Amino acid sequence: ARVAAIVGLMGAAPTVASVEGRGGVWARYESDFRTFADRHWAASGADWSVGNYYDRAMIYYVWFARTGNATYLDRANQMAVNYRRNYLEANAYGASPHWLQIDGVALHHLVTGDPASLTAVGRTADHFSSAAFLASLGGPNFADNRIQARTLTALLDAWKLRAPSTLGTDWAAKLRQALPIILATQSSDGAYRERSSQCGFNKPFMVGMLNDALIRYHDTFERDPRILPAVRRAVDYMWARNWIPSAQAFQYLEGTCTTQWGSGDPSPAPDLNHMIVSGFGWVGRQTGDASYFTRGDAVFAGGVTGAWLAGQKQFNQQYTSSFRYLANRY
C-alpha cells in the first residue's frame, strides 16, 4: 500500500535492479545514489536546511518504492517531518517558492496518514493560490520557471490529496487558472525569456523543472492539449541552442547576465542535466519519435559522468526528477 501511494503521486519508475542490469551509465546512476545517499545522511541526517533542497525526502520515498529498502522509507519520513516542522510550520506555511519542497510532505501524509502533513499541503498551497500570486507568474515580467513549477506542484499535490483549504480554495479551478498564464510566457520558438534574473535568456534547468511540472499536470490532472507542444518546443529549443556537445551538458544560462536578482553565464552545467532530461523522455514516449530518446540518453550520460555528487544540493538535483526519464525510456 505504501508503494502504491508513492507511485500514485509521483508516477512509476523501473526497479533499481532492472536499471542496474543494463550496465554502463545506468548502473553507475544507481550505485552512485547508494554511495552518496549514505555519505550525505551520515554527514547531516534529516536536517532539512542542509539536505532537503530539491526535496530529498521525496527522492527517498521514490527510492523506497524502487527498491523496497526500508532504510530509505525511514529517512524519507524523518526528513519530511523535519522540513514540515522546522520550515513550513515555523513560518506559518509561508514558504518561499525556492524552498518549497512539498512532494515529500504530501508523500509523508500518504504513507503514514499524519494529518499534520495534510494540513501543511493545504495551507502551503493556499499561500500560492491567490489571484495576485498567480497573475505574477505571467505578463511581461513573469516569475521564473522554477517559481512557476513550484506553484503548479503545490496545487497538484493539494488537488491530489484533497487537502483542506482555509480559504475554501478550489484546487482544480486554480490549476486551470495557472496553466494558461504560465504557457503564455513561452516564446514561439520554445524559449522562456525571463528578464529580472536572466536578462531575457533561456535558463535550461529551470525550463526542465517547469516541463516536469507541466508533464505531471498532463498525466495526473488533465490531458490539456497545449502541454505536449509546449514541452516539445522547449526541449527542441534547448537541444538546438543550449546543448554543448563537447561538454555533454547544457549551458547554465543562455547568455551572460548580472542583476540584483541573479547572475549566470553560458558555462556548461552537467550537475543540472538530470533536471532537464525527463522532458526528452516524455516527448519521445508521447510522440513515438525515438530521436528524443537518443538525445535524452546523451543528456542522461552527461549527467552521470559529469555531476559533482559530493555536494548535497547537486546530489538532489541529480535525482529529483531523472527517475521519470527511466520510466519513459524503459
Short mmCIF file of all heavy atoms in Angstrom, two decimals, residues 45-80:
data_model
loop_
_atom_site.label_atom_id
_atom_site.label_comp_id
_atom_site.label_asym_id
_atom_site.label_seq_id
_atom_site.Cartn_x
_atom_site.Cartn_y
_atom_site.Cartn_z
N GLY A 45 22.18 13.86 8.38
CA GLY A 45 20.93 13.22 8.76
C GLY A 45 19.72 13.88 8.14
O GLY A 45 19.71 14.21 6.95
N ALA A 46 18.69 14.10 8.96
CA ALA A 46 17.40 14.59 8.46
C ALA A 46 17.30 16.11 8.41
O ALA A 46 16.23 16.64 8.14
CB ALA A 46 16.28 14.04 9.33
N ASP A 47 18.39 16.82 8.67
CA ASP A 47 18.36 18.29 8.72
C ASP A 47 17.90 18.86 7.39
O ASP A 47 18.61 18.81 6.40
CB ASP A 47 19.75 18.81 9.08
CG ASP A 47 19.78 20.31 9.31
OD1 ASP A 47 18.84 21.02 8.89
OD2 ASP A 47 20.76 20.80 9.90
N TRP A 48 16.69 19.43 7.37
CA TRP A 48 16.12 19.95 6.13
C TRP A 48 16.97 21.06 5.53
O TRP A 48 17.08 21.16 4.29
CB TRP A 48 14.70 20.47 6.37
CG TRP A 48 14.68 21.76 7.17
CD1 TRP A 48 14.65 21.87 8.53
CD2 TRP A 48 14.71 23.08 6.65
NE1 TRP A 48 14.67 23.19 8.89
CE2 TRP A 48 14.71 23.96 7.76
CE3 TRP A 48 14.75 23.62 5.36
CZ2 TRP A 48 14.73 25.34 7.62
CZ3 TRP A 48 14.78 25.01 5.22
CH2 TRP A 48 14.77 25.85 6.34
N SER A 49 17.57 21.90 6.36
CA SER A 49 18.27 23.07 5.85
C SER A 49 19.56 22.71 5.11
O SER A 49 20.05 23.48 4.30
CB SER A 49 18.59 24.04 6.99
OG SER A 49 19.51 23.47 7.92
N VAL A 50 20.08 21.53 5.39
CA VAL A 50 21.28 21.05 4.71
C VAL A 50 20.92 20.15 3.53
O VAL A 50 21.50 20.27 2.45
CB VAL A 50 22.19 20.29 5.69
CG1 VAL A 50 23.43 19.74 4.97
CG2 VAL A 50 22.61 21.20 6.84
N GLY A 51 19.95 19.26 3.74
CA GLY A 51 19.76 18.18 2.78
C GLY A 51 18.51 18.18 1.95
O GLY A 51 18.40 17.37 1.03
N ASN A 52 17.54 19.05 2.23
CA ASN A 52 16.24 18.87 1.55
C ASN A 52 16.01 19.82 0.38
O ASN A 52 14.91 19.86 -0.16
CB ASN A 52 15.09 19.01 2.55
CG ASN A 52 13.83 18.29 2.08
OD1 ASN A 52 13.91 17.19 1.55
ND2 ASN A 52 12.68 18.92 2.27
N TYR A 53 16.99 20.61 -0.01
CA TYR A 53 16.80 21.46 -1.19
C TYR A 53 16.65 20.55 -2.41
O TYR A 53 17.44 19.63 -2.61
CB TYR A 53 17.99 22.40 -1.35
CG TYR A 53 17.69 23.64 -2.15
CD1 TYR A 53 16.71 24.53 -1.73
CD2 TYR A 53 18.39 23.95 -3.30
CE1 TYR A 53 16.42 25.68 -2.44
CE2 TYR A 53 18.12 25.10 -4.03
CZ TYR A 53 17.14 25.97 -3.59
OH TYR A 53 16.86 27.10 -4.31
N TYR A 54 15.64 20.80 -3.20
CA TYR A 54 15.22 19.91 -4.29
C TYR A 54 14.69 18.58 -3.74
O TYR A 54 14.77 17.55 -4.40
CB TYR A 54 16.32 19.72 -5.34
CG TYR A 54 16.64 21.00 -6.08
CD1 TYR A 54 17.82 21.69 -5.85
CD2 TYR A 54 15.73 21.56 -6.97
CE1 TYR A 54 18.10 22.88 -6.50
CE2 TYR A 54 15.99 22.75 -7.62
CZ TYR A 54 17.17 23.42 -7.38
OH TYR A 54 17.44 24.61 -8.01
N ASP A 55 14.16 18.62 -2.52
CA ASP A 55 13.24 17.60 -2.00
C ASP A 55 13.83 16.20 -1.89
O ASP A 55 13.33 15.25 -2.49
CB ASP A 55 11.96 17.57 -2.82
CG ASP A 55 10.75 17.20 -1.98
OD1 ASP A 55 10.93 16.57 -0.93
OD2 ASP A 55 9.62 17.55 -2.37
N ARG A 56 14.87 16.06 -1.05
CA ARG A 56 15.41 14.72 -0.86
C ARG A 56 14.44 13.80 -0.13
O ARG A 56 14.50 12.58 -0.29
CB ARG A 56 16.74 14.73 -0.14
CG ARG A 56 17.46 13.37 -0.29
CD ARG A 56 18.76 13.30 0.43
NE ARG A 56 19.62 14.38 0.03
CZ ARG A 56 20.67 14.79 0.74
NH1 ARG A 56 20.94 14.22 1.90
NH2 ARG A 56 21.43 15.77 0.31
N ALA A 57 13.55 14.35 0.67
CA ALA A 57 12.54 13.49 1.29
C ALA A 57 11.76 12.75 0.21
O ALA A 57 11.57 11.53 0.28
CB ALA A 57 11.60 14.32 2.16
N MET A 58 11.32 13.47 -0.82
CA MET A 58 10.61 12.83 -1.93
C MET A 58 11.51 11.81 -2.62
O MET A 58 11.06 10.70 -2.97
CB MET A 58 10.14 13.89 -2.92
CG MET A 58 9.51 13.34 -4.19
SD MET A 58 10.70 12.96 -5.51
CE MET A 58 11.19 14.62 -6.00
N ILE A 59 12.76 12.16 -2.84
CA ILE A 59 13.68 11.25 -3.51
C ILE A 59 13.80 9.94 -2.73
O ILE A 59 13.76 8.85 -3.32
CB ILE A 59 15.06 11.91 -3.67
CG1 ILE A 59 14.98 13.11 -4.62
CG2 ILE A 59 16.09 10.91 -4.20
CD1 ILE A 59 16.22 14.00 -4.61
N TYR A 60 13.91 10.02 -1.42
CA TYR A 60 14.00 8.81 -0.61
C TYR A 60 12.72 7.98 -0.71
O TYR A 60 12.77 6.74 -0.76
CB TYR A 60 14.28 9.15 0.85
CG TYR A 60 15.74 9.42 1.17
CD1 TYR A 60 16.08 10.47 2.01
CD2 TYR A 60 16.75 8.61 0.65
CE1 TYR A 60 17.42 10.71 2.33
CE2 TYR A 60 18.07 8.85 0.96
CZ TYR A 60 18.40 9.90 1.81
OH TYR A 60 19.72 10.14 2.12
N TYR A 61 11.56 8.63 -0.73
CA TYR A 61 10.32 7.87 -0.90
C TYR A 61 10.33 7.12 -2.23
O TYR A 61 9.94 5.94 -2.30
CB TYR A 61 9.10 8.79 -0.84
CG TYR A 61 8.68 9.20 0.55
CD1 TYR A 61 8.68 10.55 0.93
CD2 TYR A 61 8.26 8.26 1.49
CE1 TYR A 61 8.28 10.93 2.21
CE2 TYR A 61 7.87 8.63 2.77
CZ TYR A 61 7.88 9.97 3.12
OH TYR A 61 7.49 10.35 4.38
N VAL A 62 10.75 7.79 -3.29
CA VAL A 62 10.78 7.14 -4.60
C VAL A 62 11.75 5.97 -4.60
O VAL A 62 11.46 4.90 -5.14
CB VAL A 62 11.13 8.17 -5.70
CG1 VAL A 62 11.40 7.47 -7.03
CG2 VAL A 62 10.00 9.19 -5.85
N TRP A 63 12.92 6.14 -3.96
CA TRP A 63 13.89 5.04 -3.96
C TRP A 63 13.42 3.90 -3.08
O TRP A 63 13.73 2.74 -3.35
CB TRP A 63 15.28 5.55 -3.58
CG TRP A 63 16.15 5.61 -4.81
CD1 TRP A 63 17.16 4.75 -5.14
CD2 TRP A 63 16.03 6.54 -5.90
NE1 TRP A 63 17.69 5.09 -6.37
CE2 TRP A 63 17.02 6.19 -6.85
CE3 TRP A 63 15.21 7.63 -6.17
CZ2 TRP A 63 17.20 6.89 -8.04
CZ3 TRP A 63 15.39 8.33 -7.35
CH2 TRP A 63 16.36 7.96 -8.27
N PHE A 64 12.64 4.18 -2.06
CA PHE A 64 12.00 3.09 -1.32
C PHE A 64 11.06 2.32 -2.24
O PHE A 64 11.06 1.07 -2.25
CB PHE A 64 11.23 3.63 -0.11
CG PHE A 64 10.25 2.64 0.46
CD1 PHE A 64 10.70 1.49 1.10
CD2 PHE A 64 8.88 2.84 0.33
CE1 PHE A 64 9.80 0.57 1.62
CE2 PHE A 64 7.98 1.92 0.84
CZ PHE A 64 8.44 0.78 1.49
N ALA A 65 10.27 3.04 -3.04
CA ALA A 65 9.34 2.38 -3.95
C ALA A 65 10.10 1.56 -5.00
O ALA A 65 9.62 0.51 -5.43
CB ALA A 65 8.44 3.40 -4.63
N ARG A 66 11.28 2.02 -5.39
CA ARG A 66 12.04 1.34 -6.44
C ARG A 66 12.87 0.18 -5.91
O ARG A 66 13.31 -0.67 -6.71
CB ARG A 66 12.97 2.34 -7.15
CG ARG A 66 12.24 3.47 -7.87
CD ARG A 66 13.22 4.34 -8.67
NE ARG A 66 13.85 3.55 -9.71
CZ ARG A 66 15.14 3.59 -9.98
NH1 ARG A 66 15.96 4.36 -9.30
NH2 ARG A 66 15.63 2.82 -10.95
N THR A 67 13.10 0.13 -4.60
CA THR A 67 13.98 -0.90 -4.05
C THR A 67 13.32 -1.77 -2.99
O THR A 67 13.76 -2.90 -2.76
CB THR A 67 15.21 -0.25 -3.37
OG1 THR A 67 14.76 0.56 -2.27
CG2 THR A 67 16.01 0.59 -4.35
N GLY A 68 12.31 -1.24 -2.29
CA GLY A 68 11.76 -1.93 -1.14
C GLY A 68 12.64 -1.82 0.10
O GLY A 68 12.34 -2.45 1.13
N ASN A 69 13.68 -1.02 0.05
CA ASN A 69 14.62 -0.86 1.15
C ASN A 69 14.04 0.09 2.18
O ASN A 69 13.91 1.30 1.94
CB ASN A 69 15.95 -0.32 0.62
CG ASN A 69 17.03 -0.26 1.68
OD1 ASN A 69 16.75 -0.24 2.88
ND2 ASN A 69 18.28 -0.21 1.24
N ALA A 70 13.70 -0.42 3.36
CA ALA A 70 13.03 0.38 4.39
C ALA A 70 13.93 1.47 4.96
O ALA A 70 13.42 2.41 5.59
CB ALA A 70 12.54 -0.53 5.51
N THR A 71 15.24 1.38 4.75
CA THR A 71 16.13 2.46 5.19
C THR A 71 15.74 3.77 4.53
O THR A 71 15.72 4.83 5.16
CB THR A 71 17.59 2.12 4.86
OG1 THR A 71 17.98 0.97 5.62
CG2 THR A 71 18.52 3.28 5.20
N TYR A 72 15.41 3.71 3.25
CA TYR A 72 15.03 4.92 2.52
C TYR A 72 13.69 5.45 3.01
O TYR A 72 13.47 6.66 3.07
CB TYR A 72 15.00 4.65 1.02
CG TYR A 72 16.36 4.30 0.45
CD1 TYR A 72 16.49 3.28 -0.48
CD2 TYR A 72 17.50 4.97 0.85
CE1 TYR A 72 17.73 2.94 -1.01
CE2 TYR A 72 18.75 4.64 0.34
CZ TYR A 72 18.86 3.62 -0.60
OH TYR A 72 20.09 3.29 -1.12
N LEU A 73 12.79 4.56 3.36
CA LEU A 73 11.50 4.99 3.89
C LEU A 73 11.69 5.71 5.23
O LEU A 73 11.08 6.76 5.47
CB LEU A 73 10.57 3.79 4.06
CG LEU A 73 9.19 4.09 4.67
CD1 LEU A 73 8.39 5.01 3.77
CD2 LEU A 73 8.44 2.78 4.92
N ASP A 74 12.52 5.16 6.08
CA ASP A 74 12.78 5.79 7.38
C ASP A 74 13.41 7.17 7.20
O ASP A 74 13.01 8.14 7.86
CB ASP A 74 13.69 4.89 8.20
CG ASP A 74 14.01 5.49 9.56
OD1 ASP A 74 13.07 5.72 10.35
OD2 ASP A 74 15.19 5.75 9.83
N ARG A 75 14.38 7.28 6.31
CA ARG A 75 15.00 8.58 6.07
C ARG A 75 13.99 9.57 5.50
O ARG A 75 13.98 10.75 5.88
CB ARG A 75 16.17 8.42 5.10
CG ARG A 75 17.35 7.67 5.65
CD ARG A 75 18.44 7.51 4.59
NE ARG A 75 19.55 6.70 5.08
CZ ARG A 75 20.61 6.38 4.32
NH1 ARG A 75 20.67 6.79 3.06
NH2 ARG A 75 21.58 5.65 4.83
N ALA A 76 13.17 9.11 4.60
CA ALA A 76 12.16 9.98 4.00
C ALA A 76 11.22 10.53 5.06
O ALA A 76 10.93 11.74 5.09
CB ALA A 76 11.37 9.22 2.93
N ASN A 77 10.72 9.66 5.92
CA ASN A 77 9.80 10.10 6.96
C ASN A 77 10.46 11.12 7.89
O ASN A 77 9.86 12.14 8.24
CB ASN A 77 9.30 8.90 7.77
CG ASN A 77 8.31 8.05 7.01
OD1 ASN A 77 7.60 8.53 6.13
ND2 ASN A 77 8.23 6.78 7.37
N GLN A 78 11.69 10.85 8.28
CA GLN A 78 12.39 11.78 9.19
C GLN A 78 12.60 13.15 8.54
O GLN A 78 12.38 14.18 9.18
CB GLN A 78 13.75 11.20 9.59
CG GLN A 78 13.68 10.02 10.54
CD GLN A 78 15.06 9.64 11.02
OE1 GLN A 78 15.80 10.46 11.56
NE2 GLN A 78 15.43 8.38 10.82
N MET A 79 13.02 13.15 7.28
CA MET A 79 13.32 14.43 6.64
C MET A 79 12.05 15.21 6.32
O MET A 79 12.00 16.44 6.45
CB MET A 79 14.16 14.21 5.38
CG MET A 79 14.65 15.49 4.75
SD MET A 79 15.99 15.23 3.55
CE MET A 79 17.40 15.12 4.66
N ALA A 80 11.00 14.51 5.93
CA ALA A 80 9.73 15.19 5.64
C ALA A 80 9.20 15.89 6.89
O ALA A 80 8.74 17.04 6.83
CB ALA A 80 8.70 14.20 5.11
#
